[in-house]
Amino acid sequence: MRTRIKFCGLVRSDDVRTAVALGVDAVGFVFYPRSPRVLEPAQAAGLRRLLPSWVAAVGLFVNAPEGEVRRVAGAVGLDVIQFHGDETPQTCSQERPVGLPWWRAVRMRREIDLIESFGSFAGAEALLLDSHSPGYGGSGEGFDWSWVPRERPVPIVLSGGLDAETVAAAIAQVRPAMVDVSSGIQAAAPHADPRAKSRERMERFVGEVLRADAARQDSR
């Protein structure tokens, strides 16, 4: 099975169009007010209209007030809810719109964090693994991939510090269902706009995922 790709934190229409042209499977829109890539629902709805039916719109929320997830999901037309804060399993089940799948981010500090989450968030469609940091919404840093077991009761979306230089090794070791990237496709520093993605880095990332998948096939 091929590794699916999610580009997260997209705020510009040109970046969304590039993501679609490159064949990504999902695009992430951030609704966390403290993120530099936060979107208003009306902005996200405009970007959502650029996505064909085969590219999922994922909404990232962090400890959102009661009812906000359902309100934003309906206004934007989200396909998946990504809970990236301290939400409990009960909150995830109650706050997501009826019938909409949800993912739970696990901020990895140690191996047991994932083992515990497999049990606590069994209702999730997937667990998104990110590195632990003082804030929320992604740190751009990696974590120890050896903490991820080969056998998983819930599919894994691998995030945290991925870029074109690291994603092939990540796929070879972890074999996630999907890889998720945001900082790794940002425009180059210094003085880069945190809301702008780099077309070159997006292309290289997708190319490395395809290369890693081809290498896995050849090794069988």
Side-chain angles (χ1 to χ4, degrees):
M1 188 175 75
R2 72 179 182 87
T3 306
R4 300 186 182 278
I5 301 171
K6 172 175 172 263
F7 283 174
C8 195
L10 272 59
V11 302
R12 305 189 308 174
S13 57
D14 284 350
D15 292 338
V16 172
R17 291 189 181 97
T18 297
V20 171
L22 290 173
V24 305
D25 301 279
V27 167
F29 301 133
V30 177
F31 301 103
Y32 176 43
R34 295 186 181 182
S35 170
R37 292 172 280 276
V38 64
L39 287 169
E40 292 296 327
Q43 294 174 298
L47 297 174
R48 174 68 181 88
R49 288 191 286 272
L50 301 177
L51 300 180
S53 60
W54 55 87
V55 179
V58 182
L60 186 156
F61 298 86
V62 176
N63 303 328
E66 183 178 356
E68 180 175 341
V69 173
R70 293 188 296 274
R71 178 182 65 81
V72 172
V76 176
L78 296 177
D79 300 300
V80 181
I81 304 301
Q82 179 179 322
F83 292 101
H84 215 102
D86 303 308
E87 299 89 355
T88 66
Q90 292 75 21
T91 298
C92 294
S93 296
Q94 293 169 5
E95 289 299 314
R96 57 102 180 180
V98 174
L100 217 59
W102 56 276
W103 303 347
R104 181 62 166 86
V106 181
R107 299 159 66 216
M108 299 289 289
R109 288 178 297 183
R110 50 188 180 161
E111 187 173 1
I112 193 64
D113 292 334
L114 178 56
I115 304 303
E116 292 176 344
S117 295
F118 279 142
S120 300
F121 297 98
E125 181 181 63
L127 295 182
L128 185 145
L129 309 188
D130 201 354
S131 58
H132 185 271
S133 68
Y136 299 96
S139 66
E141 301 295 328
F143 65 92
D144 189 340
W145 298 332
S146 70
W147 294 343
V148 185
R150 287 287 186 177
E151 299 298 324
R152 307 138 191 183
V154 179
I156 293 298
V157 178
L158 185 63
S159 186
L162 297 180
D163 55 26
E165 284 69 41
T166 61
V167 70
I171 290 170
Q173 180 171 336
V174 181
R175 298 188 179 182
M178 174 179 277
V179 288
D180 177 28
V181 62
S182 180
S183 298
I185 53 173
Q186 288 296 121
H191 311 304
D193 181 355
R195 295 171 69 85
K197 303 300 187 187
S198 162
R199 183 183 182 93
E200 178 185 0
R201 292 186 175 188
M202 295 164 83
E203 290 175 345
R204 288 182 58 215
F205 188 90
V206 171
E208 286 300 303
V209 173
L210 296 176
R211 183 178 70 82
D213 281 352
R216 286 175 58 189
Q217 292 294 329
D218 291 342
S219 67
R220 291 181 179 177

